[in-house]
Amino acid sequence: MTDAFFAYRDGVLHAESVSLSTLAARFGTPLYVYSKAALTQAYGAYAKACEGRNAAVHYAAKANSNLAVLGVFAKLGAGFDIVSAGELARVIAAGGDPRRVVFSGVGKHADEMRFALEKDVFCFNVESRPELARLNDVAGSMGRRARVSLRVNPDVDAKTHPYISTGLRGNKFGVAYEEALAAYREASQLPHLEVVGIDCHIGSQITEVSPYLDALDKVLDLVERLDAENIKIHHIDVGGGLGITYTDETPPDITAFATQLLDHVARRGHGHRQVLFEPGRSLVGNAGVLLTQVEFLKPGETKNFAIVDAAMNDLARPAMYEAYHGIVPVTQRDSGDSTVYDVVGPVCESGDWLGRDRALNVEAGDLLAIHSAGAYGFTMSSNYNTRPRAAEVMVDGDVAHLVRERETVESLFAGERLLPTNG
Ligand code: LLP
């Protein structure tokens, strides 16, 4: 592979006009690099399916909440799915419209509800009956009515990693399907709530359409029962979760997937209701790489290690989910053979690995690109081992913009205090 920045568009790797070596020299490593063209392309694939339909895309900010990323989607006309007041503040700072925000999450604090009501968010995706009561109280105290949608747990198997499967009975998410009708009746009686929608999200990195259709059928059955009770559902939020190709997964094409869901809603006679999509990963995952440098090669009796300057604190997915990310040398060596390495970071944990058993022809000092790192990469990063978080760059045509500075060590403990007895 030549020294270009590659990002997936239309499921195909495209070279950007900026070289990763130049970026590493300019901004240092570890470095997250995003492609504006890839973000735009992925959004366009959803937008195409929504064209002429009563449907909208609400980008799930948790996948990558860098202001520049949110700004690109805001400009393209996206709404947003958020899970905290912090994400709402980011959306607003990036020029997003709070009235096009859905607020998800199982544990919304009263202050977060208040902030979201002040900003007049489109809808609260409520996940439990106690949350209904709290939201009703908060809205009442402000003399407002909160628009709500209940997140229903349809009890379908999304066939994905258990940590990112959310639509099964036994997950902490959503209102149990059997309880949903009663919860809706309760919501419709609460004076400071206005029932407007229904929501479900069955998991993440889903590579088949069938679990979505199963969930949708159960949701639509419920909508029909609610209709019969005169509880009007204006929008159906089908959640996010569409998977991407990390290695050999074959998820459906975005436009085909979204079209299939919209067609299904229409076929069942619900085409008049608005459909919301909440994609995260499928919009940003393959629009980013994590650039890292090999520090040392450490041959061993049973394993060889390539120790790099990125670690589990920069990209937690391998350590957390045993997730696979492609790891590719930025410049191909002309001579020498490949050796099989575990690619690991400097953090003091055996779980600190980024890739296992990778055949690489590398030397200390070489740059590696860790692929598909645009989603749940930077947003899940931490300061473990007092490691400053990486810088982030967005490539727009042949210009690279620094969209987040590398943290400084001093900033990491700026809010800490010695005890007075320490002098
Ligand atoms: N909507 C809701 C309510 C969600 O909980 C999520 C993700 C999304 C939308 C967006 O899902 P996506 O389209 O990105 O799959 N950290 C894990 C993924 C956790 C997903 C959490 N919820 C990972 O790195 O794989």
Side-chain angles (χ1 to χ4, degrees), residues 52-91:
R53 311 265 202 145
N54 191 6
V57 182
H58 287 242
Y59 168 58
K62 65 171 82 67
N64 187 327
S65 57
N66 182 284
L67 291 190
V69 172
L70 299 177
V72 166
F73 290 133
K75 214 151 186 190
L76 289 168
F80 295 89
D81 165 54
I82 58 149
V83 289
S84 69
E87 284 188 352
L88 178 54
R90 279 183 176 275
V91 164

Side-chain angles (χ1 to χ4, degrees), residues 43-299:
Y43 183 84
Y46 276 100
K48 192 170 167 200
C50 296
E51 222 172 73
R53 311 265 202 145
N54 191 6
V57 182
H58 287 242
Y59 168 58
K62 65 171 82 67
N64 187 327
S65 57
N66 182 284
L67 291 190
V69 172
L70 299 177
V72 166
F73 290 133
K75 214 151 186 190
L76 289 168
F80 295 89
D81 165 54
I82 58 149
V83 289
S84 69
E87 284 188 352
L88 178 54
R90 279 183 176 275
V91 164
I92 294 168
D97 181 356
R99 286 160 308 174
R100 305 251 346 264
V101 163
V102 295
F103 192 172
S104 304
V106 291
K108 300 176 193 77
H109 194 279
D111 288 344
E112 294 185 302
M113 292 174 170
R114 209 165 286 123
F115 178 53
L117 281 164
E118 273 164 17
K119 298 298 173 194
D120 199 21
V121 298
F122 176 68
C123 181
F124 289 82
N125 288 345
V126 172
E127 304 223 12
S128 66
R129 294 167 88 167
E131 187 189 335
L132 280 178
R134 176 180 288 180
L135 184 58
N136 182 60
D137 286 348
V138 173
S141 73
M142 296 170 72
R144 300 281 293 265
R145 274 183 96 194
R147 290 177 288 273
V148 298
S149 155
L150 282 186
R151 175 166 173 185
V152 173
N153 186 337
D155 192 26
V156 300
D157 186 357
K159 301 181 189 126
T160 184
H161 190 286
Y163 280 15
I164 50 178
S165 182
T166 52
L168 275 172
R169 211 190 296 270
N171 281 133
K172 70 176 176 181
F173 298 102
V175 176
Y177 192 75
E178 300 71 29
E179 224 190 297
L181 205 55
Y184 264 107
R185 286 184 191 128
E186 186 178 322
S188 68
Q189 295 305 313
L190 289 169
H192 306 295
L193 301 184
E194 181 189 356
V195 172
V196 292
I198 192 162
D199 162 44
C200 86
H201 171 80
I202 55 175
S204 199
Q205 185 53 18
I206 302 169
T207 52
E208 292 171 41
V209 185
S210 59
Y212 282 98
L213 297 178
D214 293 347
L216 197 48
D217 272 328
K218 292 186 86 169
V219 164
L220 293 176
D221 290 347
L222 198 57
V223 169
E224 286 162 12
R225 292 180 68 182
L226 291 167
D227 240 357
E229 299 201 14
N230 214 22
I231 298 175
K232 293 285 172 226
I233 299 298
H234 301 288
H235 75 257
I236 300 164
D237 181 339
V238 297
L242 181 62
I244 61 170
T245 303
Y246 285 97
T247 167
D248 53 5
E249 305 90 336
T250 51
D253 163 80
I254 292 176
T255 309
F257 157 81
T259 303
Q260 224 176 317
L261 262 56
L262 291 172
D263 286 348
H264 194 76
V265 171
R267 214 172 16 247
R268 284 208 38 182
H270 294 271
H272 57 293
R273 301 184 214 270
Q274 191 186 25
V275 174
L276 307 187
F277 295 96
E278 290 176 0
R281 189 189 318 265
S282 51
L283 286 177
V284 295
N286 273 327
V289 300
L290 173 59
L291 195 52
T292 184
Q293 185 168 25
V294 178
E295 295 287 336
F296 303 112
L297 296 179
K298 189 172 175 184

